[in-house]
């Protein structure tokens, strides 16, 4: 058996010859653009087909726009456009909206990357509060009450713990080695969160 590592290719299609098993992966050739240290891959339009019987997903999932943030969503990168976590243009409309994680930078990195990323966003929030460009509110209780006043049912810590417990349930897992099986459906998340 041989393993070939190919770089600067983006899988865009998985094909079958018999209708039931993988036979080919179609990839778009990419090139790196941008300054060293902050480059990203950009499609060239050139396609290549590779014979394959197995494909493994080994990268994070592309972010999707949260309702109400569509104007700041970059469809190609799967991120909300931002500077150090502050969503560009949101100060005028919302007084400041912040983002962290994959929705901030795209599906890359590890848990440690998310921690550094979150610290960067928090630093932006603290700087905005310090400079009085953001009006600090009373805290999470005020946010919770505001959402309830708008007829929304926010997920509090107790409800989140129900989701966390369900995701860690051994019955959900596809393998005994995985720590959890994420609930990806918002409808199912809310059903679990508000069950008793």
């Amino acid at each position: 058996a041989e393993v070939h590592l190919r770089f600067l290719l983006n899988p865009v299609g998985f094909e079958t010859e018999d209708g039931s098993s993988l036979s080919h992966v179609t990839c778009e050739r990419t090139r790196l653009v941008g300054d060293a240290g902050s480059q990203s891959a950009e499609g060239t339009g050139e396609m290549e087909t590779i014979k394959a019987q197995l494909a493994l997903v080994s990268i994070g999932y592309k972010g999707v726009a949260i309702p109400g943030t569509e104007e700041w969503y970059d469809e190609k990168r799967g991120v909300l456009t931002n500077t150090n976590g502050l969503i560009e243009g949101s100060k005028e409309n919302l007084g400041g909206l912040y983002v962290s994680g994959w929705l901030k930078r795209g599906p890359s990195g590890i848990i440690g990357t998310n921690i550094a990323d979150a610290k960067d966003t928090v630093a932006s929030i603290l700087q905005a509060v310090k400079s009085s460009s953001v009006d600090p509110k009373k805290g999470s209780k005020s946010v919770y009450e505001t959402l309830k006043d708008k007829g929304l049912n926010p997920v509090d810590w107790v409800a989140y713990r129900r989701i966390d417990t369900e995701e860690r349930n051994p019955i959900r897992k596809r393998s005994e080695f995985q720590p959890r099986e994420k609930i990806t459906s918002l409808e199912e998340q809310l059903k679990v969160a508000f069950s008793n």
Side-chain angles (χ1 to χ4, degrees), residues 57 59-64 77-78 102-103 106-108 174 182 184:
V57 177
I59 188 67
Y61 297 96
K62 180 180 177 184
V64 295
R77 295 174 46 225
W102 288 352
L103 200 51
S108 64
R174 291 169 286 147
K182 293 294 291 178
T184 57

Side-chain angles (χ1 to χ4, degrees), residues 40-114:
S40 61
E42 175 182 87
T44 64
E46 179 186 346
M47 299 296 174
E48 181 177 339
T49 301
I50 301 170
K51 288 185 178 185
Q53 296 174 326
L54 175 68
L56 302 173
V57 177
S58 62
I59 188 67
Y61 297 96
K62 180 180 177 184
V64 295
I66 299 166
T69 65
E70 293 86 354
E71 69 182 281
W72 304 296
Y73 181 67
D74 179 337
E75 175 70 37
K76 184 176 179 183
R77 295 174 46 225
V79 300
L80 292 173
T81 55
N82 70 89
T83 302
N84 298 332
L86 173 62
I87 296 177
E88 297 165 7
S90 68
K91 285 182 88 168
E92 294 77 25
N93 299 356
L94 300 172
L97 183 63
Y98 294 84
V99 65
S100 189
W102 288 352
L103 200 51
K104 176 181 176 183
R105 69 174 190 281
S108 64
I110 57 173
I111 291 172
T113 312
N114 288 327

Side-chain angles (χ1 to χ4, degrees), residues 164-181:
D164 182 57
T165 299
E166 180 62 23
E167 288 181 343
R168 293 173 184 269
N169 185 338
I171 295 171
R172 287 186 59 82
K173 298 178 188 177
R174 291 169 286 147
S175 161
E176 63 182 288
F177 302 107
Q178 68 184 109
R180 68 174 57 236
E181 180 69 29

